Every structure is written in structure tokens, then in C-alpha cells.
Amino acid sequence: IQLTQSPSLLSASVGDRVTLSCKGSQNINNYLAWYQQKLGEAPKLLIYNTNSLQTGIPSRFSGSGSGTDYTLTISSLQPEDVATYFCYQYNNGWTFGGGTKLELK
Amino acid sequence: QVQLKESGPGLVQPSETLSLTCTVSGFSLTSYSVSWVRQPSGKGPEWMGRMWYDGDTAYNSALKSRLSISRDTSKNQVFLKMNSLQTDDTGTYYCTRDPAAYYFDYWGQGVMVTVSS
């Protein structure tokens, strides 16, 4: 399954509601996770099984979706959220998307 | 607490073999699987292969002919060997804890590998 993330680059202001998209080439059956990767660091698990928040992750992060289309939402963007975000599916094999780079406007 | 740490050479000659070690703590290799994931600079990660908790292995079909993963449970270590390296194998290599072959919940810090003569 191939994953396409959009947009590839997103500029937003502190406090904005931000939505990142991930589209699969086939049905993912909700076996989708989101990772946050800050510069020079390993990816960090934010969301798994489409909408389950990993322990310790702020509640401003949420996930939704079904079928082939999934979304990561940050309800109120904070400066520390500047990072690249990857979606990842584990329904059929294990593949990552190409990433969305989130920067401050 | 759960920790994973990769070690190995930072520079490998083209056509040579890459050997990496992942040393884990805070969990048992007989209870959790460990996967290797690599990431070329500026690109998305790629799952390479898995050492299952029961000692079985699984590999990315694109890498299967070149890749071998093994472990030493007495030393809490998982090993990666990949042969015939080329320049497009350059990137950061991570080991990850892999509960039930779903998502990766803990990652090592990664080791940067450059394939160059």
C-alpha cells in the first residue's frame, strides 16, 4: 500500500487549527499511525489505530479517517509542534508516507 | 524504562556489508519484536525487517535478498547485516520496538550510515 501525504509543506500560525492528510492506494482498515519527527531526532509515535492517542501525547493531537483517507489534526498549533509528520500503515505490509513538513508562519 | 541503541560503522564502502547492532533495555526480546527502519535524508522511513519475539524473521521484499536479521537474547541484542551496499543505502538506520507487528512505539536514536568510497 502506498501512502500519499498532503500538503508536503504547511505554514501555520501559533493557535491555528491544522489538518494534515494521508491517502492510501488501498483500504487501510484503520491500521494507520502518525509519527512526529523533529530535526535530528527519531520519529515519535503520536497516534495509532487511526485515533488512539499514545501515552504522554498532548490532547491537541487527534486522528480520524476510514477506508483510504486519514487525517491528523492539531487543534491549536504550538511552537514545539514544528516538525515533519509521517503517516504509516500496517494493514498490508508496513509503509510510511513521504511526510508533511509543518512550519510556523 | 524502554531504551534501544544502535551501533555500527558510520562509513561503508560500496559493495561491502553493513553490520549494525541494536542493544535494548527495559523489555525482553522474547516478549517483543524488534524492527529495523531506515530513512534516507529528507525522505520518509522504510521498514526493513523484523525479528519476531519467537525468533522468526520477516523482511521487506525489496531488501530480502541482501538482508539478514538475528539476535542474541542473552545480550539483549538484535543484529542487522546487509550486503552489496550502494550509495542509495545511505541514510539513518533505526531499531524500533515493534509490539505485535503493528506500529513502532519506541525508537533508538539512530545511526547515520554513509556508503561511499
Side-chain angles (χ1 to χ4, degrees):
Chain A
I1 297 179
Q2 295 182 355
L3 298 178
T4 302
Q5 292 187 242
S6 60
S8 55
L9 176 64
L10 180 59
S11 297
S13 300
V14 173
D16 280 355
R17 182 180 181 87
V18 172
T19 300
L20 286 64
S21 295
C22 177
K23 184 175 181 67
S25 59
Q26 301 174 30
N27 188 352
I28 295 170
N29 286 313
N30 294 114
Y31 290 111
L32 187 107
W34 289 93
Y35 287 89
Q36 175 193 67
Q37 186 175 33
K38 297 183 178 179
L39 197 62
E41 297 183 4
K44 179 181 181 181
L45 179 65
L46 300 176
I47 301 280
Y48 59 94
N49 294 348
T50 296
N51 55 17
S52 296
L53 196 66
Q54 175 69 343
T55 303
I57 302 301
S59 59
R60 65 179 180 274
F61 291 92
S62 64
S64 63
S66 63
T68 60
D69 296 306
Y70 297 82
T71 298
L72 174 69
T73 299
I74 307 173
S75 61
S76 178
L77 185 66
Q78 300 301 305
E80 61 266 31
D81 299 335
V82 168
T84 300
Y85 293 82
F86 295 99
C87 59
Y88 159 75
Q89 70 82 25
Y90 40 102
N91 177 58
N92 184 351
W94 302 272
T95 51
F96 289 85
T100 292
K101 185 176 183 179
L102 178 58
E103 64 178 25
L104 288 179
K105 191 181 294 183
Chain B
Q1 70 276 28
V2 173
Q3 290 186 324
L4 304 96
K5 187 172 184 179
E6 306 87 351
S7 59
L11 180 65
V12 179
Q13 304 275 345
S15 80
E16 295 294 302
T17 296
L18 173 67
S19 295
L20 298 176
T21 299
C22 174
T23 303
V24 310
S25 59
F27 69 97
S28 171
L29 293 177
T30 59
S31 297
Y32 288 88
S33 303
V34 168
S35 276
W36 287 94
V37 175
R38 68 177 180 176
Q39 184 175 26
S41 181
K43 296 186 178 180
E46 175 187 36
W47 175 76
M48 300 181 69
R50 171 180 297 111
M51 170 57 71
W52 287 91
Y53 62 90
D54 64 359
D56 201 359
T57 54
Y59 299 108
N60 184 322
S61 58
L63 302 172
K64 188 173 184 177
S65 63
R66 301 195 287 140
L67 185 61
S68 175
I69 297 175
S70 59
R71 71 180 183 179
D72 184 336
T73 56
S74 67
K75 294 183 178 179
N76 294 320
Q77 292 180 326
V78 179
F79 309 103
L80 175 148
K81 288 188 186 300
M82 188 163 71
N83 59 31
S84 304
L85 255 63
Q86 301 302 320
T87 54
D88 59 2
D89 292 312
T90 292
T92 300
Y93 287 69
Y94 298 96
C95 60
T96 71
R97 195 176 77 162
D98 184 358
Y102 288 161
Y103 45 86
F104 313 115
D105 60 354
Y106 289 90
W107 297 58
Q109 64 190 19
V111 58
M112 177 67 193
V113 174
T114 301
V115 182
S116 175
S117 54

